[in-house]
Amino acid sequence: MYALGKFVLKKSPRLRLSSSVSCTGVNSYHSENGVYGYKPRQQRRFQVPKEYLDERAKQSNFYRLVEAYRTHGHKQANIDPLSMSKPSLLPELQLSNFGLNLKDKVRFRGILFTQQDEGIIEEAVRFLSDTYCDTVSTEFNYLETEEEREWFAETVERTLTEPLDDETRKMIAVEMLKSQAFDNFLAIKFVSLKRYGGEGAESMMAFFHEFFKLCASDDLKHIILCAAHRGRLNLLTGLLKFPPEKLFRKLRGLSEFPDMTRCTGDVVSHLISSTDLDIDGKSVHFTMLRNPSHLEIVNPVSMGKTRGVMQTIGEDAYGQDGSSRWSDRVINVQVHGDAAYTGQGVNQECLAISKVPHFEIGGTIHLMINNQVGFTTPPSKGRSSRYCTDLAKSISAPVIHVNGDNPEMVVRATRIAFKYQRLFRKDVFVDLNCFRRWGHNELDDPLMTNPLIYKIIHNRPSIPDRYAEELINANILTRENVRNSVENYTAWLNRILKESTEEAPRQRDYLTGRWTGIKQAEANVTQWNTGVELSLLKFVGKKSVEVPADLDIYPQVLKSHVQSRLKKIENGNALDWSTAEALAIGSLLYQGYNVRISGQDVGRGTFAHRHAIIVDQSTEAPFIPLNFMINDQTGKLEVANSILSEEAVLGFEYGMSISSPYTLPIWEAQFGDFFNGAQIVIDTYITNGEAKWMLSSGLTMLLPHGYDGAGPEHSSCRLERFLQLTNSKENEADSDDVNMEIANPTEPAQYFHLLRKQMVRDYRKPLILIGPKILLRHSQAVSSMTHFEPQTSFKTVIGDDKVKSDDVNKVILVSGKHYYALKDYRESTENKNVAIVRIESLCPFPIQELLEEIEKYKHARIFVWSQEEPRNMGAWSFVKPRFENLCGRQLKYCGRETMAAPAVGDGQMHQQEAKEVVVKPFAMK
């Protein structure tokens, strides 16, 4: 990390852009060299062996039959453990369609991947039925490349016939029996507990047992997993070695955090684990992410967390030598519920970003816990497609359906999925068809709504018992083995429950590892020196627009961006918004921090103001000047132009933000009000992730806001909603420990200090930054270079230096760009009796600074809050009680009247309102 106090100008290497463009697939990002966080993929070369092609040509009818099974076999597979009827025979698989008879002799080589080279059709049909129509079925013939389709067919046909060794069979039986014993134990000891147990889905333990072993054997170092509540506690206390005493403490209604922790906590079904697992002598770090009860919203967070870990360890395009691939050492696993995966739109968004530059993570392995019911809704009423995994087809991801009654096939399905992800680094789905032994929770009676299916469930043996009986009959286990496994595990749980006490010591498991040195904000107000030396500011400013000599730059960008910025830096007295942003980001990069800015069109900026990426007009190659300021630069800027999504992308950025405190993640909405597409992420993670789970985040949200006549959907960032979500108090002063910060700055220097403060302080808080639109190019919304220098910092309140305090009889309080309209009107009327005070920080509410400012105006008797927004929106309802309770003055309102929509759509009506909200505050008595 570079020290600002020891700033030395270094000669930058001469940069050259390649004049050729290498398109390597549908996701080509214009440049054959890539940019930080993305490098193009070389297309894999594959060719089916000529002898295979010749054989398929000679026996075309037989080959068509085999392909029919590979394509349609899943439709008559025995994958439902509760099936009340046998799947009907498919016309697509009738031999008469292919001109074949059962006794016809055929060659298998090159067509079927079996141990036989030849045989008769009857043998082939038997093999195909066992492979594609039994307790495992697959969907893969829509895969994009011939290599993938050929590989999948061969792998399925070989893997499903591989025998499992007895030790593996014993282990999965024991793990399932322990899972069942755990549920029985909790049912007895905690009768009224909604534990959302794994009963009916115990085969998931076979999946995870095999998956963990495969990860270790492939030298993976990090597993990032997200899951809902179903079977969560079973997995935690079983394979993940979560201490049961911590669980029992939680079940007694106590916190899992140390007593001094300022934390409100969460329910028991949201417990997590972050631990090192010893798997076959290898250490693998496992992280199960926190999740709210909003199903599936954790998925993009897990993807962002995975990407963040990849950045920390320097994987793929984050690395120096470029030799690694995404997911070489980190793998993402998502566990879904069938009804939620179909119903929640965030899943489509997650798949849509899975291969997008700056969002790719090398493929996710998806496990579908297919209960075949959503609360009380059966599949026939819960979706319009055949399978709950049909969304996978949108990105051509293969699906392996498996009957949960066959744990051994679950193991084989896991192996196929793992091999596919490791080879192709793409998403793959395992659809574990199972059931829910009880209702939505253990206190819910499912017979009220699903009587037929639950009569089957209640009259059949459990999956662990059935599989144990199978191994007993095969002389692999004895009844004594089974009894001892269950009794010993139950006795162990009983002993820990008895020995566990409410006073048991609890170690702090947050703000450790990469977060060491970061602390919880304290109940006081701190000020941070975020200024930067003048020489470094000028250096960064110039470097922010320096491009290679051979880059064909767009003339308008050259004139209005590059040359204009150089002139502003040289003069140092009229720095605009985008320049302030570049100085903030560039100085952080110079110090060794990383910065990531994400959102729709963020490279250029919605309003064509940022130009963080300069695009070569001849090659479309992107160039990011701030990444080439000095030799051996460690801090990097990642510019992630996102898909047209808010929910998944914001969730992804939150996941990035919790992975490391040394990356500043910024998400910019195209227009401020578009954030509401991601409301669940805001409500369940950003505003209270620290309060519930002790997860610190420095995520910054930029929300362009302002009433400029753009209509109801392009005017307001719904400031009032964010203010309502804070834990700011109306009757006492706020401090650093508010749940998030909300600022509405009016000057570029203020924006500069806010961004830098996010990184230089020793705690992390989300920042909601009400961003400008017209202020981006407003002639008055500029800052002098002196406002960026050392010993300067963010001003929570900006007073009025244009009037004499003794002449003031009215004070107008304002926040944001509305200030400039009020200022211009006051100047036009030559009013000397009204002071305009800007509140730049809304949360924490700057009561001390505000008191100091209004105390200057001894003769002021009228205090007015002026805003552009309607009365029921904006900051009015937030500011009024705090000002009156803590400043002891009455505050009057002036702004638009109460409205249903944020703004009018008629231009003339807007002009009339805009004039009224500026004139009225000065006329109020």
Side-chain angles (χ1 to χ4, degrees):
M1 189 173 292
Y2 298 96
L4 287 177
K6 298 179 180 179
F7 172 67
V8 178
L9 291 177
K10 299 182 180 180
K11 185 177 180 180
S12 297
R14 180 169 173 77
L15 302 164
R16 301 289 294 180
L17 286 184
S18 172
S19 60
S20 63
V21 179
S22 175
C23 294
T24 57
V26 294
N27 287 326
S28 176
Y29 196 48
H30 310 315
S31 170
E32 65 178 10
N33 299 318
V35 292
Y36 179 71
Y38 170 77
K39 65 181 182 184
R41 295 280 163 263
Q42 295 300 317
Q43 286 185 327
R44 298 172 60 93
R45 298 190 180 277
F46 174 80
Q47 191 171 10
V48 178
K50 184 177 183 303
E51 61 179 295
Y52 286 12
L53 296 176
D54 290 344
E55 202 62 60
R56 293 170 187 180
K58 289 177 185 176
Q59 303 186 98
S60 59
N61 285 349
F62 177 45
Y63 179 60
R64 287 193 302 115
L65 171 67
V66 171
E67 284 296 289
Y69 268 91
R70 290 169 178 167
T71 302
H72 301 290
H74 64 90
K75 299 175 187 175
Q76 66 174 36
N78 178 29
I79 57 173
D80 182 1
L82 302 177
S83 179
M84 291 183 284
S85 61
K86 190 174 182 179
S88 58
L89 295 176
L90 292 174
E92 293 93 339
L93 303 182
Q94 300 304 306
L95 292 181
S96 57
N97 292 344
F98 306 96
L100 298 171
N101 295 302
L102 287 175
K103 301 303 179 181
D104 291 347
K105 290 184 178 181
V106 288
R107 282 182 56 82
F108 293 169
R109 182 171 173 79
I111 298 177
L112 269 183
F113 298 99
T114 73
Q115 300 298 321
Q116 294 178 240
D117 280 344
E118 58 184 33
I120 61 174
I121 292 295
E122 185 175 20
E123 291 174 305
V125 168
R126 189 182 307 118
F127 175 81
L128 289 168
S129 296
D130 290 345
T131 303
Y132 294 106
C133 305
D134 200 2
T135 54
V136 171
S137 66
T138 54
E139 295 180 274
F140 65 88
N141 257 5
Y142 50 77
L143 296 180
E144 290 183 339
T145 67
E146 185 177 47
E147 180 187 14
E148 290 176 77
R149 295 190 296 273
E150 290 284 334
W151 179 93
F152 217 94
E154 180 174 2
T155 303
V156 167
E157 289 165 20
R158 294 196 190 283
T159 302
L160 294 186
T161 57
E162 292 175 353
L164 293 189
D165 62 86
D166 289 349
E167 190 59 33
T168 297
R169 299 170 79 184
K170 287 179 185 178
M171 289 302 298
I172 60 177
V174 168
E175 291 300 333
M176 290 196 301
L177 287 166
K178 285 165 62 177
S179 177
Q180 179 174 260
F182 176 79
D183 278 323
N184 292 338
F185 177 83
L186 292 186
I188 294 170
K189 300 297 182 180
F190 301 92
V191 179
S192 61
L193 172 66
K194 296 179 182 179
R195 64 182 184 278
Y196 303 99
E199 292 149 299
E202 289 94 348
S203 290
M204 67 185 288
M205 306 304 284
F207 170 89
F208 281 111
H209 178 268
E210 184 65 20
F211 175 72
F212 291 160
K213 292 177 72 69
L214 291 169
C215 287
S217 68
D218 207 44
D219 290 326
L220 279 154
K221 301 302 180 185
H222 300 270
I223 300 172
I224 312 294
L225 179 140
C226 66
H229 38 276
R230 176 90 157 102
R232 186 188 193 95
L233 300 181
N234 307 64
L235 178 62
L236 277 172
T237 55
L239 291 169
L240 299 184
K241 312 302 181 186
F242 185 83
E245 56 267 28
K246 294 180 71 172
L247 170 63
F248 298 149
R249 176 182 171 83
K250 187 72 175 176
L251 291 175
R252 291 189 176 109
L254 301 171
S255 174
E256 67 268 36
F257 298 107
D259 291 333
M260 298 304 293
T261 306
R262 299 188 300 280
C263 180
T264 57
D266 199 358
V267 296
V268 68
S269 55
H270 295 167
L271 279 175
I272 65 156
S273 176
S274 180
T275 187
D276 291 318
L277 297 177
D278 186 330
I279 304 170
D280 296 337
K282 294 183 178 181
S283 179
V284 181
H285 188 77
F286 179 91
T287 301
M288 177 185 281
L289 288 180
R290 295 283 189 180
N291 68 291
S293 293
H294 289 68
L295 298 174
E296 307 293 330
I297 196 61
V298 69
N299 301 338
V301 177
S302 78
M303 295 169 71
K305 169 75 172 182
T306 302
R307 178 94 182 184
V309 174
M310 290 172 172
Q311 182 180 38
T312 298
I313 65 176
E315 196 161 81
D316 201 277
Y318 289 134
Q320 296 295 321
D321 58 8
S323 61
S324 66
R325 300 170 64 196
W326 298 122
S327 193
D328 270 0
R329 290 176 287 172
V330 189
I331 193 167
N332 179 248
V333 188
Q334 297 177 20
V335 183
H336 312 287
D338 51 321
Y341 197 76
T342 300
Q344 294 299 309
V346 70
N347 295 310
Q348 182 273 332
E349 294 184 25
C350 286
L351 295 182
I353 65 174
S354 63
K355 300 178 187 177
V356 172
H358 304 287
F359 294 90
E360 59 184 326
I361 56 172
T364 291
I365 293 182
H366 302 262
L367 174 64
M368 190 71 63
I369 305 298
N370 190 345
N371 300 314
Q372 306 187 75
V373 65
F375 211 136
T376 64
T377 305
S380 60
K381 297 179 181 178
R383 60 177 182 265
S384 299
S385 60
R386 179 187 292 268
Y387 298 117
C388 60
T389 54
D390 281 336
L391 198 57
K393 297 182 178 71
S394 68
I395 59 165
S396 300
V399 180
I400 308 159
H401 306 281
V402 58
N403 191 321
D405 268 353
N406 193 333
E408 295 182 15
M409 280 302 182
V410 174
V411 170
R412 295 184 177 97
T414 307
R415 290 175 179 176
I416 296 169
F418 186 82
K419 290 176 183 177
Y420 177 84
Q421 190 274 341
R422 300 316 291 157
L423 180 60
F424 297 103
R425 303 298 162 97
K426 292 183 176 181
D427 287 50
V428 58
F429 286 72
V430 174
D431 177 22
L432 178 60
N433 287 257
C434 51
F435 56 89
R436 202 179 59 195
R437 180 160 289 278
W438 311 114
H440 178 65
N441 58 67
E442 289 73 18
L443 307 185
D444 183 40
D445 185 359
L447 286 167
M448 289 187 284
T449 52
N450 309 93
L452 296 182
I453 206 76
Y454 272 91
K455 286 177 182 176
I456 296 175
I457 292 172
H458 291 161
N459 285 286
R460 55 156 286 163
S462 71
I463 294 173
D465 289 344
R466 174 179 285 187
Y467 186 59
E469 191 66 27
E470 180 182 326
L471 296 191
I472 290 170
N473 294 335
N475 295 319
I476 295 172
L477 285 177
T478 65
R479 296 194 186 280
E480 186 178 5
N481 293 148
V482 173
R483 185 172 59 253
N484 288 342
S485 294
V486 174
E487 289 179 353
N488 291 343
Y489 185 67
T490 305
W492 177 69
L493 290 173
N494 270 309
R495 178 175 56 81
I496 292 178
L497 177 62
K498 184 178 180 180
E499 294 175 355
S500 63
T501 65
E502 296 183 6
E503 292 76 29
R506 284 156 289 150
Q507 292 183 336
R508 194 181 83 167
D509 57 1
Y510 57 91
L511 299 180
T512 58
R514 291 188 292 272
W515 289 81
T516 301
I518 302 298
K519 63 181 185 180
Q520 243 191 319
E522 297 176 357
N524 53 36
V525 178
T526 56
Q527 189 173 42
W528 297 86
N529 177 16
T530 46
V532 175
E533 293 176 12
L534 180 61
S535 56
L536 178 55
L537 289 170
K538 289 186 174 182
F539 174 75
V540 170
K542 292 175 182 178
K543 288 294 181 181
S544 70
V545 289
E546 183 179 288
V547 298
D550 63 344
L551 189 145
D552 184 8
I553 192 169
Y554 187 57
Q556 182 64 25
V557 173
L558 177 64
K559 178 182 177 181
S560 64
H561 179 66
V562 176
Q563 294 174 350
S564 174
R565 178 168 295 175
L566 290 173
K567 184 177 179 180
K568 291 168 185 172
I569 293 294
E570 187 64 31
N571 294 336
N573 57 5
L575 275 60
D576 61 8
W577 218 269
S578 66
T579 301
E581 179 183 82
L583 294 179
I585 291 174
S587 60
L588 288 172
L589 300 180
Y590 186 84
Q591 287 181 267
Y593 295 105
N594 292 313
V595 178
R596 174 183 166 97
I597 184 165
S598 166
Q600 298 149 28
D601 312 303
V602 293
R604 188 201 72 167
T606 299
F607 308 101
H609 65 285
R610 179 172 291 120
H611 298 292
I613 298 178
I614 306 293
V615 178
D616 189 294
Q617 295 298 295
S618 300
T619 66
E620 286 198 356
F623 182 75
I624 302 175
L626 283 172
N627 281 338
F628 298 93
M629 295 186 294
I630 57 175
N631 291 316
D632 302 321
Q633 181 174 322
T634 57
K636 294 289 187 177
L637 169 62
E638 183 171 17
V639 183
N641 285 315
S642 78
I643 68 168
L644 200 66
S645 153
E646 286 79 38
E647 187 173 23
V649 173
L650 185 58
F652 190 100
E653 301 311 320
Y654 179 83
M656 288 283 292
S657 77
I658 62 174
S659 66
S660 170
Y662 302 111
T663 294
L664 172 60
I666 302 171
W667 178 77
E668 182 177 61
Q670 194 172 56
F671 285 89
D673 55 314
F674 290 175
F675 81 87
N676 56 18
Q679 192 69 55
I680 295 175
V681 179
I682 295 164
D683 289 347
T684 60
Y685 280 107
I686 295 173
T687 61
N688 52 42
E690 183 178 8
K692 291 188 295 190
W693 310 313
M694 289 306 300
L695 283 179
S696 290
S697 166
L699 177 64
T700 296
M701 294 177 63
L702 301 183
L703 306 177
H705 173 91
Y707 282 61
D708 310 322
E713 276 78 54
H714 287 80
S715 298
S716 173
C717 75
R718 296 288 191 171
L719 171 60
E720 65 281 353
R721 292 187 183 176
F722 289 97
L723 293 172
Q724 185 188 35
L725 289 169
T726 70
N727 61 354
S728 171
K729 301 176 180 62
E730 294 182 358
N731 52 7
E732 61 181 82
D734 289 337
S735 58
D736 291 346
D737 64 350
V738 290
N739 62 323
M740 61 181 175
E741 297 187 359
I742 302 175
N744 194 2
T746 56
E747 297 177 0
Q750 290 282 83
Y751 179 42
F752 168 89
H753 290 297
L754 282 166
L755 290 181
R756 284 190 48 77
K757 187 173 70 165
Q758 284 293 90
M759 288 288 100
V760 302
R761 62 188 177 189
D762 59 2
Y763 63 90
R764 297 289 178 262
K765 290 287 181 181
L767 171 63
I768 313 302
L769 211 154
I770 314 305
K773 293 186 291 180
I774 66 168
L775 293 193
L776 293 170
R777 294 180 176 87
H778 197 291
S779 60
Q780 297 179 53
V782 293
S783 297
S784 167
M785 191 78 82
T786 58
H787 294 159
F788 299 79
E789 292 190 64
Q791 308 310 313
T792 59
S793 59
F794 174 66
K795 302 173 184 175
T796 57
V797 173
I798 298 179
D800 193 337
D801 59 1
K802 304 297 183 183
V803 293
K804 295 180 180 179
S805 57
D806 288 342
D807 295 339
V808 171
N809 56 29
K810 180 188 295 184
V811 176
I812 297 176
L813 302 178
V814 66
S815 187
K817 73 101 172 172
H818 186 46
Y819 160 75
Y820 290 98
L822 296 172
K823 174 176 172 288
D824 287 345
Y825 180 77
R826 184 179 65 178
E827 290 178 358
S828 69
T829 59
E830 299 183 351
N831 190 316
K832 306 294 184 182
N833 306 120
V834 177
I836 306 175
V837 176
R838 288 172 272 175
I839 300 180
E840 303 278 290
S841 169
L842 289 164
C843 182
F845 194 69
I847 191 62
Q848 186 61 41
E849 294 85 347
L850 190 54
L851 279 169
E852 291 174 3
E853 188 59 35
I854 65 176
E855 285 295 334
K856 297 176 183 177
Y857 309 110
K858 305 295 184 183
H859 304 298
R861 296 294 179 266
I862 301 174
F863 294 87
V864 178
W865 173 258
S866 181
Q867 66 178 35
E868 294 184 295
E869 300 86 356
R871 188 184 186 107
N872 57 324
M873 302 176 196
W876 161 244
S877 60
F878 181 86
V879 172
K880 174 181 167 59
R882 286 159 181 79
F883 184 82
E884 292 185 345
N885 292 341
L886 301 173
C887 292
R889 277 90 163 172
Q890 184 183 5
L891 188 64
K892 297 184 177 183
Y893 172 79
C894 188
R896 285 171 168 83
E897 290 304 314
T898 298
M899 294 173 59
V904 298
D906 180 80
Q908 291 186 3
M909 190 180 299
H910 165 74
Q911 292 296 333
Q912 180 182 344
E913 288 183 345
K915 181 178 179 180
E916 288 177 356
V917 297
V918 171
V919 173
K920 280 188 176 181
F922 293 92
M924 291 181 70
K925 298 185 181 299

